Amino acid sequence: MTQAIKVAAIQMVSTPEVAENFASATRLVAAAAQQGAQLVLLPEYWPIMGRHERDKLAHAEADGVGPIQECMASLARQHGLWLVGGTLPLKADNPDKVLNTSLVYGPQGQRVARYDKIHLFNFVRGEENYDEARTIEYGHEVQSFEAPFGRVGLSVCYDLRFPELYRAMGECALIVMPAAFTYTTGRAHWELLLRARAIENQCYVLASAQGGEHVNGRRTWGHSMLVDPWGEIVSVLPEGEGLVIGDIDPHRLQYVRESLPALRHRKL
C-alpha cells in the first residue's frame, strides 16, 4: 500500500428493536461511504440492545443465514466497501447461550472472516452487575484478515484488556475494536487502553462504540475513535449517534516502525 485508505467507525445507541437498528446502521454506513470510507466498522451489539440480557437469544442466527447477516452483506456490496459488522448473536451449541460474533464482508458482499469473542465481560460494582458468560459462549480462536492495506486484527470490547491477544495476531496495519463499554469502565480505561494497544503494536486502532442512554437503562461510554501508531487520536466522537473517519497512512505506519523499531526488539 502506498496511498492512504479512509476508514470509519460507526457509533450507535442501539435499541431493543432490530428494525430501528437496521435503519440507523444503513444510514450511517451510507454517510461513511459518501465521505469516502473504504472500510467501515459497526459497534458491538449493533443489531440489538435488549431490555434483558436474554433478549438476544431470540434473535440468534445460524451461521451464514439470517436477516442480520443479509443486512451486513448487502451494505458491503451496495457501497463497495469492507464492512466489519461489530457483533451479532450467532447460535451456540448450548441453546441457552449465543456466540458474540464479529463478521467481516468484502466489497462484493462476500464474507471473509469470522471472530467469536474470546474474553467475556464480568463487572460488579454497587448496582452495576454484568456477566456476559450467563448468556454467551466463549470463543477460542484468534482471527485476522487481509485487506488491501494490510492485516486487520479482530477483537471485541473486553478483549481490549488482554494484550497477549494482539501479539498472537502478528503484525497488523489495523486493529478493530467494536465495543459497548459501560460508562464507568469507559471513563476510566477506554482511551488509555486503545492508545496503549496502538503504541505497543505500532498500528492503527479503529474503535466503534455504543454511546449513550439505552432503552434498557444502560449507559454506554461512546468515544468511538481512530488512533494512529504513535498513540495520537486522529478523530473521536464523545457520545450519541454518528461516525468518526480518518486515514490509514502507510507512510505514517512505516515512519513510526522505522524510527522506533520496537516490534523488532521483542525478546519473549
Side-chain angles (χ1 to χ4, degrees):
M1 182 182 74
T2 58
Q3 295 183 331
I5 300 292
K6 199 168 292 294
V7 298
I10 302 297
Q11 186 160 289
M12 296 175 63
V13 188
S14 294
T15 76
E17 302 300 325
V18 172
E20 290 180 6
N21 300 326
F22 276 13
S24 295
T26 297
R27 181 177 65 255
L28 291 164
V29 171
Q34 289 168 3
Q35 294 181 48
Q38 294 170 262
L39 181 146
V40 176
L41 174 65
L42 290 167
E44 185 181 29
Y45 299 134
W46 76 267
I48 179 169
M49 287 279 280
R51 295 180 184 275
H52 188 273
E53 63 181 9
R54 295 187 61 82
D55 289 354
K56 57 183 172 286
L57 273 66
H59 297 276
E61 297 184 354
D63 189 19
V65 181
I68 300 172
Q69 293 168 84
E70 291 169 4
C71 177
M72 291 187 291
S74 175
L75 287 172
R77 183 170 55 250
Q78 176 185 349
H79 298 292
L81 48 75
W82 296 83
L83 182 70
V84 184
T87 67
L88 79 157
L90 280 189
K91 290 183 179 179
D93 291 336
N94 184 339
D96 291 326
K97 294 187 178 185
V98 299
L99 290 159
N100 193 20
T101 298
S102 185
L103 298 177
V104 182
Y105 296 87
Q108 286 75 48
Q110 78 282 18
R111 198 174 94 181
V112 298
R114 167 182 166 175
Y115 169 65
D116 300 329
K117 185 179 180 182
I118 291 174
H119 302 98
L120 300 183
F121 183 55
N122 179 208
F123 177 71
V124 179
R125 179 182 290 180
E127 295 183 358
E128 285 190 274
N129 186 320
Y130 303 97
D131 185 359
E132 289 185 320
R134 287 193 291 248
T135 55
I136 298 174
E137 279 192 3
Y138 290 90
H140 300 286
E141 296 185 10
V142 179
Q143 296 289 343
S144 62
F145 69 96
E146 295 297 329
F149 55 85
R151 181 180 296 164
V152 180
L154 298 173
S155 61
V156 175
C157 203
Y158 193 47
D159 285 333
L160 186 59
R161 296 182 183 272
F162 302 89
E164 65 272 19
L165 172 67
Y166 302 96
R167 288 297 196 216
M169 294 173 182
E171 290 189 13
C172 294
L174 172 68
I175 288 167
V176 292
M177 170 48 58
F181 256 59
T182 70
Y183 187 88
T184 302
T185 59
R187 180 173 57 181
H189 300 144
W190 172 250
E191 179 185 322
L192 179 67
L193 289 168
L194 288 171
R195 296 178 70 187
R197 298 296 86 85
I199 292 165
E200 69 196 8
N201 293 290
Q202 297 189 311
C203 69
Y204 285 88
V205 173
L206 182 66
S208 181
Q210 296 281 349
E213 296 275 359
H214 298 266
V215 174
N216 62 10
R218 180 174 176 178
R219 185 179 182 187
T220 46
W221 175 242
H223 291 78
S224 297
M225 66 179 72
L226 176 64
V227 184
D228 82 358
W230 193 247
E232 299 288 343
I233 297 173
V234 177
S235 180
V236 62
L237 174 63
E239 199 169 29
E241 186 179 279
L243 61 91
V244 297
I245 195 161
D247 290 338
I248 304 295
D249 183 348
H251 302 294
R252 176 68 166 167
L253 194 66
Q254 182 179 11
Y255 173 77
V256 168
R257 290 181 174 182
E258 288 183 353
S259 60
L260 180 61
L263 294 175
R264 296 203 303 268
H265 293 160
R266 293 170 60 200
K267 300 296 184 184
L268 302 180

